[in-house]
Amino acid sequence: MNRPAPVEISYENMRFLITHNPTNATLNKFTEELKKYGVTTLVRVCDATYDKAPVEKEGIHVLGTCAGRTCFD
C-alpha cells in the first residue's frame, strides 16, 4: 500500500511531523523516517497499530493522547 509522504510543519520554535499510522510490518522504515527528521517524541493520535517498544529502543519517546473520552496509548 502506498502511504503519503510525511509533512513537516514549523511554528515558532516547534516542529511537527504529520505521518501515516504504521503497522508492525512497516515499523522499521517508519522509525528510520522519524530519525531522518530528528524526531525525539512521537504522539499517537489514533489507535495503536504497532508495538511502541522498537520505536522507544531507537531513543524516540512515545506518548498517547486523549480526545474526549477516547484515549490512545
Side-chain angles (χ1 to χ4, degrees):
M1 175 190 298
N2 288 336
R3 301 282 187 167
V7 175
E8 186 175 13
I9 299 170
S10 296
Y11 178 74
E12 295 182 0
N13 65 339
M14 298 175 284
R15 293 173 44 221
F16 303 90
L17 187 65
I18 310 301
T19 69
H20 68 281
N21 200 11
T23 64
N24 284 324
T26 62
L27 194 54
N28 287 339
K29 184 174 181 178
F30 179 74
T31 303
E32 289 302 316
E33 193 77 11
L34 295 178
K35 291 184 341 186
K36 182 173 98 174
Y37 281 92
V39 171
T40 58
T41 303
L42 175 67
V43 179
R44 291 181 175 174
V45 294
C46 52
D47 291 331
T49 57
Y50 58 93
D51 179 13
K52 67 180 183 178
V55 179
E56 290 177 328
K57 184 179 176 185
E58 294 294 326
I60 299 171
H61 187 65
V62 180
L63 302 173
T65 187
C66 294
R69 294 183 178 191
T70 303
C71 291
F72 308 102
D73 178 35

